[in-house]
């Protein structure tokens, strides 16, 4: 993040309980997550002068930022809701940095909260794209179309997809906060029911209630606070399409361009990364993401997972808290929270030893939006 | 000329038909005649679907409707097992394919009543079925069938 007046840090993270959480409204998930992140940082609502948010997936409310701010009983100088689906969680950090650089704010909260598990989830089964008559409803079918193309071009197998889900479940088994912690085998995966071939049930993330939040401020302010600052080293984004099937190469994603942008702004290379938290709403996504970032050659993502190289203790631990597939199906805010915990050494049983630099990969739509962020605990550019 | 009967299994698709508007009316009228039309740009010659008032490639508003043979190949596909909508229930598991048209555009289409397994690269052609007296539905089937 060169050419900025100062460095920026994540100084507090928080979340509400993931999974089935009846009686907690969408607003409550946001407010409680923000209050928990403020407490983590040693700050109060009175320190906040910005509230940025991604709208809930299950409904699309207007003026969501001001509504959350009012529920926190604050009158912020900056609010925004960003519409990049799952990629918004990083895009909002970029917005926060801009607002602080412009002198509009000093401490900004970013949050997401929704209750599709116990509330309405009608939006989850809506047709994808323009044409319901084509029979494509729900996100699994669309991502499965991407997976099928990847299998055709590179020979990726269901056994390899199973190993993505198993890796993340293995990490979730070490995370007492994860929605699903029970281990399963490739055989269990192969006997789970088809949803939309080539996807079985265990290729798909669960529908989850939950909220997560983080607090962004300057390095100067961060140094006054109680937790080890986590530095935002680089951010990139890319948005290849809207209707996923019009993307010329379906088995690719915005991770390639967003990743290059993030690595360039951080002055880092893939070899510098100690762990990744990758948006994994479906098993095919992290597999393609690792290829697009250049951690493996195109087409080698499946064997990388099959050889268990993404397990904690392996060469590139990924999704250390279980990811969307096992920790919570929420659209990605929790991945930033987990990356911060890892970089502070708060990973407990699932801690990646010596973690200094982490990559967070977020995407939305049907791999139609993408954002990448690199975080460190060292202030590399000092 | 006798109207072909509407098969019961297709009547249920009526509630999925999007509302008519200025752009899609000619397309829908053509389908009900058993024809697939695309828009062709008179400035850059490219074909497009869905319809718009401008050319997606060059921005020109000189667009004409052209009958297309609608042939192409399967770029990717899925086999849906989940009953997301009651109209598709009798066909489960049914195939949804991304069709790469020879004329250029890609579209999504249901492939119902398949008797053989399909694969990526298979040649396909349109199959147009009546679902109401005035509306028809575009599906795809294998060219060899
Ligand atoms: Zn044109």
């Amino acid at each position: 993040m060169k050419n900025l007046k100062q460095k920026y840090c994540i100084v507090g993270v928080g979340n509400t309980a993931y999974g089935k959480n009846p009686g907690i409204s969408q607003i409550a998930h946001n407010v409680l997550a923000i209050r928990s992140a403020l407490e983590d940082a040693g700050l109060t609502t009175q320190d906040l002068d910005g509230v940025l948010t991604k709208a809930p997936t299950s409904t699309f409310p207007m003026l969501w930022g001001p509504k959350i701010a009012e529920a926190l009983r604050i009158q912020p100088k900056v609010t925004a809701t960003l519409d990049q689906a799952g990629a918004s969680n990083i895009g909002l950090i970029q917005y926060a940095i801009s607002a602080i650089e412009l002198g509009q704010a000093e401490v900004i909260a970013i949050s997401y909260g929704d209750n599709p598990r116990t509330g309405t989830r009608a939006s989850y089964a809506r047709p994808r794209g323009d044409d319901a008559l084509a029979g494509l409803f729900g996100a699994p079918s669309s991502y499965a179309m991407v997976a099928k193309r990847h299998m055709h071009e590179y020979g990726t197998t269901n056994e390899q997809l199973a190993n993505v889900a198993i890796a993340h479940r293995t990490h979730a088994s070490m995370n007492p906060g994860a929605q699903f912690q029970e281990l399963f085998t490739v055989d269990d995966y192969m006997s789970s029911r088809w949803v939309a071939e080539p996807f079985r049930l265990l290729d798909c993330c669960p529908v989850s209630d939950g909220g997560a939040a983080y607090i962004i401020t300057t390095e100067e302010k961060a140094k006054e606070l109680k937790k080890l600052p986590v530095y935002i080293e680089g951010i990139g984004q890319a948005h290849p399409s809207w209707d996923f099937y019009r993307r010329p190469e379906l088995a690719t994603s915005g991770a390639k361009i967003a990743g290059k942008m993030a690595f360039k702004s951080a002055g880092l290379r893939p070899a510098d990364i100690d762990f990744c938290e990758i948006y994994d709403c479906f098993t095919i996504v992290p597999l393609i993401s690792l290829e697009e970032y250049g951690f493996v050659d195109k087409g080698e993502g499946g064997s990388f997972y099959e050889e268990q190289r993404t397990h904690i203790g392996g060469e590139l631990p990924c999704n250390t808290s279980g990811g969307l597939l096992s920790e919570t199906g929420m659209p990605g805010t929790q991945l930033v929270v987990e990356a911060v915990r890892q970089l502070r050494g708060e990973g407990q049983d699932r801690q990646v030893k010596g973690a200094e630099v982490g990559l967070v990969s977020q995407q939305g739509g049907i791999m139609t939006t993408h954002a990448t962020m690199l975080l460190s605990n060292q202030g590399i550019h000092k | 000329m006798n109207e072909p009967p509407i098969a019961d299994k297709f009547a249920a698709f009526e509630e999925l038909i999007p509302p008519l508007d200025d752009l899609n009316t000619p397309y829908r009228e053509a389908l009900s005649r058993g024809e697939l039309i695309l828009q062709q740009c008179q400035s850059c010659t490219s074909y497009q679907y869905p319809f718009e008032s401008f050319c997606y490639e060059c921005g020109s508003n000189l667009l004409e409707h052209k009958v297309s043979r609608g042939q192409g190949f399967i770029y990717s596909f899925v086999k849906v097992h989940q009953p997301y909508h009651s109209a598709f229930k009798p066909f489960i598991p049914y195939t949804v394919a991304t069709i790469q048209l020879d004329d250029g555009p890609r579209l999504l289409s249901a492939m119902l009543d398949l008797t053989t397994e399909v694969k990526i690269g298979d040649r396909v052609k349109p199959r147009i079925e009546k679902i109401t007296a005035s509306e028809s539905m575009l599906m795809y089937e294998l060219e060899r069938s």
Side-chain angles (χ1 to χ4, degrees):
Chain A
M1 306 282 273
K2 302 165 196 83
N3 306 320
L4 296 179
K5 281 184 279 193
Q6 48 197 327
K7 294 176 187 171
Y8 295 92
C9 301
I10 301 177
V11 294
V13 295
N15 60 276
T16 61
Y18 299 141
K20 199 171 177 179
N21 209 339
I24 311 291
S25 69
Q26 293 170 327
I27 278 287
H29 279 297
N30 282 277
V31 166
L32 298 174
I34 290 172
R35 284 187 176 276
S36 150
L38 286 168
E39 191 184 334
D40 181 54
L43 293 165
T44 72
T45 52
Q46 295 315 303
D47 296 304
L48 270 188
D49 40 23
V51 175
L52 310 180
T53 177
K54 168 182 153 25
T57 307
S58 62
T59 54
F60 203 93
M62 292 177 74
L63 296 172
W64 194 231
K67 186 164 184 182
I68 293 167
E70 189 176 85
L72 288 160
R73 289 291 180 265
I74 60 168
Q75 295 177 303
K77 301 185 189 99
V78 176
T79 72
T81 302
L82 194 61
D83 183 13
Q84 297 177 344
S88 311
N89 307 299
I90 289 173
L92 289 166
I93 293 178
Q94 180 173 330
Y95 191 91
I97 291 171
S98 309
I100 301 171
E101 276 281 301
L102 290 166
Q104 298 170 338
E106 189 183 20
V107 178
I108 294 182
I110 295 173
S111 74
Y112 178 81
D114 196 4
N115 57 1
R117 174 83 203 217
T118 54
T120 175
R121 65 176 104 161
S123 71
Y124 281 68
R126 69 181 183 273
R128 305 305 305 205
D130 269 343
D131 199 351
L133 282 170
L136 202 72
F137 301 86
S141 316
S142 303
Y143 281 93
M145 191 85 80
V146 175
K148 184 73 188 179
R149 185 70 201 180
H150 198 274
M151 290 170 147
H152 172 77
E153 288 185 31
Y154 304 109
T156 300
T157 63
N158 272 104
E159 285 78 2
Q160 292 175 335
L161 295 181
N163 274 285
V164 176
I166 288 168
H168 298 189
R169 182 61 61 86
T170 303
H171 298 161
S173 75
M174 299 180 262
N175 173 10
Q179 186 172 348
F180 291 107
Q181 299 173 32
E182 195 182 330
L183 295 171
F184 62 84
T185 65
V186 173
D187 285 345
D188 296 331
Y189 166 96
M190 295 302 270
S191 56
S192 74
R193 68 178 168 86
W194 289 117
V195 175
E197 284 180 61
F199 279 170
R200 295 179 180 277
L201 188 63
L202 288 172
D203 286 295
C204 310
C205 71
V207 175
S208 313
D209 299 336
Y214 28 91
I215 311 295
I216 312 292
T217 190
T218 61
E219 177 186 39
E220 193 183 346
K221 177 87 178 170
K223 284 180 169 167
E224 300 167 8
L225 300 176
K226 68 179 187 188
K227 289 286 179 75
L228 182 71
V230 169
Y231 287 81
I232 298 158
E233 301 288 355
I235 290 178
Q237 50 175 309
H239 307 278
S241 65
W242 183 70
D243 255 338
F244 70 97
Y245 59 90
R246 294 202 177 84
R247 202 161 67 234
E249 298 292 335
L250 199 52
T252 64
S253 79
K256 190 171 201 164
I257 290 170
K260 277 191 177 139
M261 207 184 285
F263 279 110
K264 190 178 176 208
S265 73
L268 292 167
R269 296 168 306 131
D272 298 317
I273 300 299
D274 298 314
F275 69 97
C276 299
E277 305 296 340
I278 306 179
Y279 202 99
D280 58 335
C281 47
F282 299 94
T283 49
I284 190 65
V285 183
L287 191 157
I288 290 179
S289 302
L290 286 184
E291 296 174 353
E292 298 285 302
Y293 285 129
F295 289 112
V296 297
D297 288 340
K298 196 70 200 165
E300 298 297 319
S303 50
F304 197 75
Y305 276 97
E306 202 164 25
E307 291 157 13
Q308 305 201 345
R309 290 153 80 176
T310 71
H311 283 240
I312 293 171
E315 66 186 89
L316 185 67
C318 292
N319 298 63
T320 51
S321 58
L324 277 74
L325 285 168
S326 286
E327 184 186 34
T328 169
M330 286 161 52
T333 320
Q334 73 278 14
L335 300 177
V336 176
V337 170
E338 171 65 7
V340 169
R341 287 179 178 147
Q342 286 287 337
L343 289 166
R344 286 172 173 176
E346 296 175 351
Q348 299 178 317
D349 293 348
R350 62 183 192 275
Q351 179 64 43
V352 174
K353 301 235 162 27
E356 293 180 353
V357 187
L359 177 148
V360 184
S361 177
Q362 305 272 32
Q363 61 96 46
I366 312 297
M367 304 169 75
T368 49
T369 67
H370 202 100
T372 304
M373 176 170 63
L374 304 181
L375 296 173
S376 89
N377 53 18
Q378 294 196 318
I380 292 170
H381 301 302
K382 259 180 209 160
Chain B
M1 192 177 95
N2 288 327
E3 284 292 314
I6 297 162
D8 280 350
K9 61 180 182 180
F10 295 125
F13 288 102
E14 184 177 0
E15 69 176 79
L16 290 175
I17 301 174
L20 281 171
D21 58 35
D22 289 347
L23 286 169
N24 67 17
T25 298
Y27 169 81
R28 298 264 285 277
E29 288 173 352
L31 263 196
S32 71
R33 293 192 303 269
E35 285 180 337
L36 171 65
I37 59 169
L38 301 174
Q39 283 179 316
Q40 188 183 25
C41 176
Q42 300 308 296
S43 301
C44 75
T45 75
S46 67
Y47 286 89
Q48 67 183 31
Y49 179 87
F51 289 8
E52 247 307 345
S53 58
F54 60 90
C55 169
Y56 295 109
E57 299 301 326
C58 75
S60 164
N61 61 0
L62 299 173
L63 294 163
E64 283 187 6
H65 296 133
K66 287 284 169 68
V67 174
S68 169
R69 295 175 65 204
Q71 285 156 317
F73 67 88
I74 296 175
Y75 177 77
S76 191
F77 70 95
V78 297
K79 208 192 263 188
V80 180
H81 290 250
Q82 186 92 352
Y84 289 105
H85 191 278
S86 56
F88 284 95
K89 249 185 196 161
F91 302 96
I92 285 176
Y94 63 92
T95 296
V96 182
T98 298
I99 310 288
Q100 176 62 61
L101 297 181
D102 297 341
D103 285 332
R106 270 191 202 161
L107 44 86
L108 281 179
S109 180
M111 297 184 75
L112 306 179
D113 306 313
L114 292 173
T115 51
T116 55
E117 295 288 321
V118 300
K119 58 184 192 308
I120 289 175
D122 280 351
R123 294 287 306 170
V124 291
K125 62 181 183 192
R127 170 187 173 197
I128 297 170
E129 291 286 350
K130 268 211 167 314
I131 51 180
T132 72
S134 59
E135 294 280 358
S136 292
M137 173 176 170
L138 175 65
M139 292 176 256
Y140 268 79
E141 61 189 3
L142 290 172
E143 213 170 71
R144 63 177 186 264
S145 69

